[in-house]
Amino acid sequence: MLVLSTAAAATNAMAQRSRVENLVMHSDVLNADKTFTVYLPEGYDNSDRRYPTLYLLHGAWGCNTDWTEKGNAKTIADEAIASGRALPMIIVMPDARGQDANYAGKNMGYFNLPGWAYEDYFFREFIPYIDKTFRTRAEKRYRAISGLSMGGGGTAVYAERHPDIFASACPLSGLLDDPLGTTSSVIRFEEFVRAAQQTNPTEFIKNASPAQIAALGSVRWLIDCGDDDYLFDGNISMILAMRAAKIPVEVRIRNGAHNWVYWQTALPTVLQFISTGFAADR
Amino acid sequence: MLVLSTAAAATNAMAQRSRVENLVMHSDVLNADKTFTVYLPEGYDNSDRRYPTLYLLHGAWGCNTDWTEKGNAKTIADEAIASGRALPMIIVMPDARGQDANYAGKNMGYFNLPGWAYEDYFFREFIPYIDKTFRTRAEKRYRAISGLSMGGGGTAVYAERHPDIFASACPLSGLLDDPLGTTSSVIRFEEFVRAAQQTNPTEFIKNASPAQIAALGSVRWLIDCGDDDYLFDGNISMILAMRAAKIPVEVRIRNGAHNWVYWQTALPTVLQFISTGFAADR
Amino acid sequence: MLVLSTAAAATNAMAQRSRVENLVMHSDVLNADKTFTVYLPEGYDNSDRRYPTLYLLHGAWGCNTDWTEKGNAKTIADEAIASGRALPMIIVMPDARGQDANYAGKNMGYFNLPGWAYEDYFFREFIPYIDKTFRTRAEKRYRAISGLSMGGGGTAVYAERHPDIFASACPLSGLLDDPLGTTSSVIRFEEFVRAAQQTNPTEFIKNASPAQIAALGSVRWLIDCGDDDYLFDGNISMILAMRAAKIPVEVRIRNGAHNWVYWQTALPTVLQFISTGFAADR
Amino acid sequence: MLVLSTAAAATNAMAQRSRVENLVMHSDVLNADKTFTVYLPEGYDNSDRRYPTLYLLHGAWGCNTDWTEKGNAKTIADEAIASGRALPMIIVMPDARGQDANYAGKNMGYFNLPGWAYEDYFFREFIPYIDKTFRTRAEKRYRAISGLSMGGGGTAVYAERHPDIFASACPLSGLLDDPLGTTSSVIRFEEFVRAAQQTNPTEFIKNASPAQIAALGSVRWLIDCGDDDYLFDGNISMILAMRAAKIPVEVRIRNGAHNWVYWQTALPTVLQFISTGFAADR
């Protein structure tokens, strides 16, 4: 749409100054270079202002460019911010790909595996690197996390284990329970499955101490899952566990299944929900 | 729903602590007692926190209790705030009723009439009274205005004449142009019609100086009008005038007409839009 | 809004020719006169066309005028039909009020009680009376049922017991399980509680024979319940039972609680959903 | 998402039996082979049922696979039909690409050009070919048209010139007026510009005879355009012309600009709107 949109380009010059960068950092924990993608909002380059940050996680068989390339995240964020649905923010998209040709296989996922301590990397290296490299507001109140499918599971578990780090957590179509139950044919991804079994976020809530429950209540939760999603029942179990534990949770069940149409239509709500969180109590 | 909702009452105790009060103040300008309605958000009574404020205007033939009694404003505000769609805020519903039995006739409306300087009252007495009586944040950045029909016209004109007072302005189904054109049978409301003719907010924009245009641009505008509203064309004229003057404006045309179904479904968007405004630039 | 909308009245003359009537019929089964409300769509009086029918049930402590007086059902239906969201239809609102001053107490509800065989009345007298009195299309394919709270329970149970009668069933915020669990203080409504205990629609599904499951699958189901509704868990139980039994069900969980804001925003989706059902397979 | 979705694949087997085919037909009018894409709904292969048809047009610099590859049209149609938002239908996506490497340049567009009578091809060859090749219901009542940008202009003009052919017409972000005004830098696409100048659908309405106005009123119109679209003003002009001519038109102005996020979120509404049209008056 290059030429026809020349007039639009002029009109929307301000909004278009947001940008997406695909970058690389070195991880000592993983002994590897790790890619990541970052969205910097309009105005980032014209001020010394600091911004809240959303960590936005991809799903299994995905990588750090999924949200921008398949999920239209830049357009959606630009329009949410320009229209006053969301506050200007930095969006960080990490990379939890596996190491075969389809981003699957060995080392896929957000959890620690033998020889691949991804969760350690994420909290000890990645978040500190982001807070050092970009003008973030590096406090719990200004940091949110969301993600789809396997990244929804990552979102839930990360927020459960690190409730002091995130103000809001929004699992979308999350892989929240033992994936063997729903995906019994997934046998070659042994590490991935084993890790997910060990990090069941619903069990975490059922077994949580009163202090942990209180900490979980300091995170604003939004769980969104389509009524035709094959992970529906796992999401319901998580929601019921949270309600039983009196942890406030916003729930949305919309028409849809496990695909990018659903996640694209979820993202504006996530951006709005976390924005109110960034602004709360001030 | 008294008994069945006992359990719900306990569960939602927090949200239900918001309250609506119908009050009266004396106006020296008008030489009259004027009623108004105020929504105080959950938590208001339990802290010394200060809150942003929305002035929410009723339509012709209405009064200060319309939004709560016909528009479900308390339920909508409670749920918008509890769900993270909006920030906690005070909502002030003034009274611009006329003085016959149907709230019509003499002195109806938001503008100065011979012997009834309502706009003077609003800015010299009412807003100061609110800021003195309730724990508002009495700055432009924390004050918004919205309203329906005649109150949409009031919203537009008040924000045009007092852009230093309001952060956001959201006319809903606004009476924005010469009402004689669309309502030629309205002849007995002479004062109302004359006042509206003199306050055409679209003409205001067309005749605005560069400094005025800049000031109008300091207000965040959202115009929402149903595609079957008999005031549709007047809203379009206002939108086109704003675009021609390069004043940013969010526009929503949804299915619907001039009724409470439309305004109830508009209010959540208004509360969200002004909340992002309250939080902006911080 | 009498005078101002004169122009609108002319423009929308067609849409406004729909009408709502509050009527009475005699029931031999109940040995009583029973009120009901009916919405007749625009054009009904100008043709001999026959229409599909929606039975729209009120909640506990309510009556047949609730949907039109508190739920804006006429406006919502007019606009859904005029905008092409729904097909023209007749909407029938029965009366299941109790017999004390607040529409509560003795004989409240949609089920058979000692000396008050309401369900018998509904299927043996009321539906036949409607089909005889109005130009309905008196076939399963052209008949739908929906309702709120106690009427959501009625919707579910009626569709379960009479799957040959309804094409679509849409319980909204339905009272779907043993109300003693959620409302233990409801002790004076003994009949109501006992009847509801005996008609648990979730247990019906769990105990259904293969033939019954097949029959339930011939009804198009849409279950909608707010995430802050105190009946949330009962709705989830019903949904999980339907999924376990492989009965297709559309599920919507939106932000909201047990109130008319929720039901008003549910109704357009119900009207659209049942309309596609009326048109299916043709 | 190959392996994880195995369970889902089984569950959704029915829905997934829809399919998309990229095909080719020979045009004598154009003296060329023309590609097109067709969506056949679930069940198409298992019956001899006939279906209504939507012609869904791409934009400038696009081609017949845009809606399925960039617009997720298959997923959106599958879910709209499965959830009862839309009736099962055939969706036909024609090819109006230009002939340079970027689908631009010579012969781009939906109108007749010197040596390239595309509109003749569309009505004399393409629609008849579709109706002969697939099990369509080849009547006005069962045929709809929609499209984006240049295809929104095609939608409007085709429905204006052939109101006997289409039941519904839904221009999305339509290029509806003289594109020279908004895109003065577009000088190399001489043919495209000249054709669009000659087919201004707003002028068509302003100049229409009473008989033409009546014919236009036999088409159900839905115009949807984002409030940040650079074609906004042209859409407003068309809407105002239709209102002035008393041609009923549904209007939606949502937040958004000229991009696939907008068109993807428009498509479910289009599918619902045209479905009610397919079912009307029966």
Side-chain angles (χ1 to χ4, degrees):
Chain A
M1 208 56 72
L2 257 69
V3 177
L4 245 195
S5 56
T6 303
T11 310
N12 295 328
M14 220 173 55
Q16 288 183 3
R17 269 185 267 132
S18 76
R19 57 195 165 85
V20 166
E21 306 227 2
N22 296 312
L23 301 169
V24 182
M25 70 170 282
H26 182 74
S27 165
D28 291 334
V29 168
L30 300 176
N31 191 26
D33 287 344
K34 287 301 291 174
T35 58
F36 66 97
T37 297
V38 64
Y39 168 88
L40 299 172
E42 179 272 317
Y44 184 86
D45 296 321
N46 306 107
S47 76
D48 56 0
R49 183 176 167 187
R50 306 189 79 84
Y51 294 89
T53 309
L54 166 64
Y55 289 82
L56 188 58
L57 313 188
H58 65 78
W61 299 274
C63 72
N64 55 295
T65 57
D66 277 10
W67 271 103
T68 50
E69 294 186 358
K70 299 179 184 173
N72 285 316
K74 180 178 184 298
T75 298
I76 291 169
D78 282 350
E79 295 184 354
I81 294 168
S83 69
R85 184 193 283 265
L87 296 177
M89 69 181 76
I90 295 168
I91 303 176
V92 179
M93 289 151 277
D95 179 9
R97 78 175 74 184
Q99 273 152 2
D100 75 12
N102 295 317
Y103 300 157
K106 188 172 158 60
N107 293 348
M108 183 170 78
Y110 295 97
F111 306 124
N112 287 344
L113 300 170
W116 187 260
Y118 189 91
E119 187 172 349
D120 293 349
Y121 154 70
F122 196 93
F123 287 92
R124 291 190 204 157
E125 290 185 326
F126 186 55
I127 292 181
Y129 179 86
I130 294 296
D131 284 335
K132 190 180 63 193
T133 308
F134 301 97
R135 293 199 314 279
T136 63
R137 307 185 76 161
E139 305 157 54
K140 168 188 168 83
R141 126 179 329 179
Y142 297 116
R143 202 185 284 114
I145 187 164
S146 182
L148 69 91
S149 195
M150 183 182 81
T155 296
V157 172
Y158 279 13
E160 285 179 344
R161 292 182 179 169
H162 308 270
D164 53 317
I165 295 290
F166 301 108
S168 302
C170 309
L172 309 175
S173 314
L175 177 65
L176 299 178
D177 53 4
D178 179 353
L180 277 179
T182 42
T183 60
S184 54
S185 62
V186 188
I187 43 175
R188 65 189 176 98
F189 300 110
E190 294 161 12
E191 289 180 335
F192 167 62
V193 171
R194 199 177 317 121
Q197 282 176 302
Q198 292 166 357
T199 58
N200 186 314
T202 301
E203 290 303 312
F204 185 98
I205 290 167
K206 291 180 180 170
N207 299 324
S209 68
Q212 283 176 311
I213 297 291
L216 291 172
S218 77
V219 178
R220 302 165 76 252
W221 291 88
L222 171 70
I223 295 183
D224 185 358
C225 183
D227 69 341
D228 295 321
D229 199 304
Y230 70 102
L231 299 178
F232 181 88
D233 289 358
N235 277 266
I236 293 296
S237 298
M238 173 91 171
I239 291 160
L240 293 177
M242 296 186 79
R243 290 168 64 91
K246 311 277 187 213
I247 301 165
V249 54
E250 291 296 311
V251 180
R252 305 290 180 272
I253 307 289
R254 298 178 291 121
N255 182 43
H258 206 78
N259 56 48
W260 282 103
V261 171
Y262 200 84
W263 303 320
Q264 286 185 75
T265 50
L267 188 53
T269 301
V270 169
L271 297 178
Q272 180 272 306
F273 178 76
I274 64 176
S275 290
T276 323
F278 296 148
D281 298 312
R282 293 191 298 174
Chain B
M1 209 53 69
L2 257 69
V3 177
L4 244 196
S5 56
T6 304
T11 310
N12 296 327
M14 221 173 55
Q16 289 183 4
R17 269 186 266 132
S18 76
R19 57 195 165 86
V20 166
E21 306 227 1
N22 297 312
L23 302 168
V24 182
M25 70 168 283
H26 181 75
S27 165
D28 291 333
V29 168
L30 300 175
N31 190 26
D33 287 344
K34 286 301 290 175
T35 58
F36 66 96
T37 297
V38 65
Y39 167 88
L40 299 172
E42 179 271 319
Y44 184 86
D45 295 321
N46 306 107
S47 76
D48 56 0
R49 183 175 166 187
R50 305 190 80 84
Y51 294 89
T53 309
L54 166 64
Y55 289 82
L56 188 59
L57 313 188
H58 65 76
W61 298 275
C63 72
N64 55 295
T65 57
D66 277 11
W67 271 104
T68 50
E69 294 187 359
K70 299 179 185 173
N72 284 317
K74 180 178 184 299
T75 297
I76 292 169
D78 282 350
E79 295 184 353
I81 293 168
S83 70
R85 185 193 282 265
L87 295 178
M89 69 180 77
I90 295 168
I91 303 177
V92 179
M93 289 151 278
D95 179 10
R97 77 176 74 184
Q99 275 153 0
D100 76 13
N102 296 316
Y103 301 157
K106 186 171 158 62
N107 292 348
M108 185 170 77
Y110 295 96
F111 307 123
N112 287 345
L113 301 169
W116 188 260
Y118 189 91
E119 186 172 351
D120 293 350
Y121 154 70
F122 197 94
F123 287 91
R124 292 189 204 158
E125 290 184 328
F126 186 57
I127 291 180
Y129 179 85
I130 294 295
D131 283 335
K132 190 179 62 192
T133 307
F134 301 97
R135 294 200 313 279
T136 63
R137 307 186 76 160
E139 305 156 54
K140 169 188 168 82
R141 127 181 328 182
Y142 297 116
R143 203 184 284 113
I145 187 164
S146 183
L148 68 92
S149 195
M150 183 182 82
T155 295
V157 172
Y158 278 13
E160 286 179 344
R161 293 182 180 170
H162 308 270
D164 53 317
I165 295 290
F166 300 108
S168 300
C170 309
L172 309 176
S173 315
L175 178 65
L176 299 178
D177 53 5
D178 178 355
L180 276 179
T182 42
T183 60
S184 53
S185 61
V186 188
I187 45 177
R188 65 189 177 99
F189 301 109
E190 295 160 11
E191 289 180 334
F192 166 63
V193 170
R194 199 176 318 122
Q197 283 176 303
Q198 292 165 358
T199 59
N200 186 312
T202 302
E203 290 303 312
F204 186 98
I205 290 166
K206 290 181 180 169
N207 299 324
S209 67
Q212 283 175 310
I213 297 291
L216 291 171
S218 78
V219 178
R220 301 165 76 254
W221 292 88
L222 172 71
I223 295 182
D224 185 358
C225 183
D227 69 341
D228 294 321
D229 199 303
Y230 70 102
L231 298 177
F232 181 89
D233 289 358
N235 277 267
I236 293 296
S237 298
M238 173 89 169
I239 291 160
L240 294 177
M242 296 186 79
R243 290 169 63 92
K246 311 276 186 214
I247 300 165
V249 53
E250 290 296 311
V251 180
R252 303 290 180 274
I253 306 290
R254 297 177 293 120
N255 183 43
H258 205 79
N259 57 48
W260 282 104
V261 171
Y262 199 84
W263 303 320
Q264 286 185 75
T265 49
L267 188 53
T269 301
V270 169
L271 297 178
Q272 180 271 307
F273 178 75
I274 65 177
S275 290
T276 323
F278 296 148
D281 299 312
R282 293 192 298 174
Chain C
M1 209 54 70
L2 257 68
V3 177
L4 243 197
S5 57
T6 303
T11 310
N12 296 328
M14 221 173 54
Q16 289 184 2
R17 268 185 269 132
S18 76
R19 57 196 165 85
V20 166
E21 307 227 0
N22 296 313
L23 302 167
V24 182
M25 70 169 283
H26 181 75
S27 166
D28 293 332
V29 168
L30 300 175
N31 190 26
D33 287 345
K34 287 301 292 175
T35 58
F36 66 96
T37 297
V38 64
Y39 167 89
L40 299 172
E42 179 270 320
Y44 184 86
D45 296 321
N46 306 108
S47 75
D48 56 1
R49 182 177 167 187
R50 305 189 80 85
Y51 294 88
T53 309
L54 166 65
Y55 289 82
L56 187 58
L57 313 187
H58 64 77
W61 298 273
C63 72
N64 55 295
T65 57
D66 277 10
W67 270 104
T68 50
E69 294 187 359
K70 299 179 185 173
N72 285 316
K74 180 178 184 298
T75 297
I76 292 170
D78 282 349
E79 295 184 354
I81 293 167
S83 68
R85 186 193 282 266
L87 295 178
M89 68 181 78
I90 296 168
I91 304 177
V92 179
M93 289 152 278
D95 180 9
R97 77 175 75 183
Q99 275 153 1
D100 76 13
N102 297 315
Y103 300 156
K106 188 172 157 62
N107 293 348
M108 184 170 78
Y110 295 96
F111 307 123
N112 287 345
L113 301 170
W116 187 259
Y118 189 91
E119 187 172 350
D120 292 350
Y121 154 70
F122 197 94
F123 287 92
R124 291 188 204 159
E125 291 186 326
F126 186 56
I127 291 180
Y129 179 85
I130 294 295
D131 284 335
K132 190 180 62 192
T133 308
F134 301 97
R135 295 199 314 280
T136 63
R137 308 186 75 161
E139 307 156 54
K140 168 189 168 82
R141 126 180 329 179
Y142 297 117
R143 202 185 285 113
I145 187 165
S146 182
L148 69 92
S149 195
M150 183 181 81
T155 296
V157 171
Y158 279 13
E160 286 179 343
R161 291 182 180 169
H162 309 268
D164 53 317
I165 295 291
F166 301 108
S168 300
C170 310
L172 309 176
S173 315
L175 178 65
L176 300 178
D177 51 6
D178 178 356
L180 277 179
T182 41
T183 61
S184 53
S185 61
V186 189
I187 46 177
R188 65 189 177 100
F189 300 110
E190 295 160 12
E191 289 179 336
F192 167 62
V193 170
R194 199 176 318 121
Q197 283 177 304
Q198 292 165 357
T199 58
N200 186 312
T202 301
E203 291 303 312
F204 186 98
I205 290 166
K206 290 181 180 169
N207 300 323
S209 68
Q212 283 176 310
I213 297 291
L216 291 172
S218 78
V219 179
R220 301 165 75 254
W221 291 88
L222 171 71
I223 295 183
D224 184 359
C225 182
D227 67 341
D228 295 320
D229 199 302
Y230 70 102
L231 298 178
F232 181 89
D233 290 358
N235 277 267
I236 293 296
S237 297
M238 172 89 169
I239 292 160
L240 294 178
M242 297 186 79
R243 290 167 64 92
K246 311 275 186 216
I247 300 165
V249 54
E250 290 296 311
V251 180
R252 305 290 181 272
I253 307 289
R254 297 177 292 121
N255 183 43
H258 205 79
N259 56 49
W260 282 103
V261 171
Y262 199 84
W263 302 320
Q264 286 185 76
T265 49
L267 188 53
T269 300
V270 169
L271 298 177
Q272 180 271 306
F273 178 76
I274 65 176
S275 290
T276 322
F278 297 147
D281 299 313
R282 293 192 299 174
Chain D
M1 209 54 72
L2 257 67
V3 176
L4 244 197
S5 57
T6 303
T11 311
N12 296 327
M14 221 173 54
Q16 288 183 3
R17 268 186 268 132
S18 76
R19 57 195 166 85
V20 166
E21 305 227 2
N22 297 311
L23 302 168
V24 182
M25 71 170 282
H26 181 74
S27 165
D28 291 334
V29 169
L30 300 176
N31 190 26
D33 288 343
K34 287 300 292 175
T35 59
F36 66 96
T37 297
V38 65
Y39 167 89
L40 300 172
E42 180 272 318
Y44 184 86
D45 296 320
N46 306 107
S47 75
D48 56 0
R49 183 176 167 186
R50 306 188 79 83
Y51 294 89
T53 309
L54 166 65
Y55 289 82
L56 188 58
L57 314 188
H58 65 78
W61 298 274
C63 72
N64 55 296
T65 56
D66 277 10
W67 271 104
T68 49
E69 294 187 358
K70 300 179 184 173
N72 285 316
K74 180 178 185 298
T75 297
I76 292 170
D78 282 349
E79 295 184 353
I81 294 168
S83 69
R85 185 192 284 265
L87 295 178
M89 69 182 75
I90 295 168
I91 304 176
V92 179
M93 290 152 276
D95 180 9
R97 76 176 74 183
Q99 274 153 0
D100 75 12
N102 297 316
Y103 301 158
K106 187 171 158 62
N107 292 348
M108 184 170 78
Y110 295 97
F111 307 123
N112 286 345
L113 300 170
W116 187 259
Y118 189 92
E119 186 172 351
D120 293 350
Y121 154 70
F122 197 94
F123 288 91
R124 291 189 204 158
E125 291 184 326
F126 186 57
I127 291 180
Y129 180 85
I130 295 295
D131 283 335
K132 190 180 62 192
T133 308
F134 302 97
R135 295 199 313 279
T136 63
R137 308 185 75 160
E139 307 156 55
K140 168 188 168 81
R141 128 178 328 179
Y142 297 116
R143 202 185 284 115
I145 186 165
S146 182
L148 69 92
S149 195
M150 183 181 82
T155 295
V157 171
Y158 278 13
E160 285 179 344
R161 292 182 179 169
H162 308 271
D164 54 317
I165 296 290
F166 301 107
S168 301
C170 309
L172 309 175
S173 315
L175 178 66
L176 300 177
D177 53 4
D178 178 355
L180 276 179
T182 41
T183 60
S184 54
S185 61
V186 188
I187 43 176
R188 66 189 176 98
F189 300 108
E190 294 159 13
E191 290 179 335
F192 167 62
V193 171
R194 198 176 317 121
Q197 283 176 305
Q198 292 165 359
T199 58
N200 185 314
T202 301
E203 291 303 312
F204 186 98
I205 290 166
K206 290 181 180 169
N207 299 323
S209 69
Q212 283 176 310
I213 297 291
L216 291 172
S218 78
V219 178
R220 303 165 75 253
W221 290 89
L222 171 71
I223 296 183
D224 185 358
C225 182
D227 69 340
D228 294 320
D229 198 305
Y230 70 102
L231 298 178
F232 181 90
D233 289 358
N235 277 267
I236 293 296
S237 297
M238 173 90 170
I239 291 160
L240 293 177
M242 296 186 79
R243 290 169 64 93
K246 311 274 187 216
I247 301 165
V249 55
E250 290 296 311
V251 181
R252 304 290 181 271
I253 307 289
R254 298 178 292 121
N255 181 43
H258 205 78
N259 56 48
W260 282 103
V261 171
Y262 199 84
W263 303 320
Q264 286 185 75
T265 50
L267 188 53
T269 300
V270 168
L271 297 178
Q272 180 272 305
F273 179 76
I274 65 176
S275 290
T276 323
F278 297 147
D281 298 313
R282 292 193 298 173

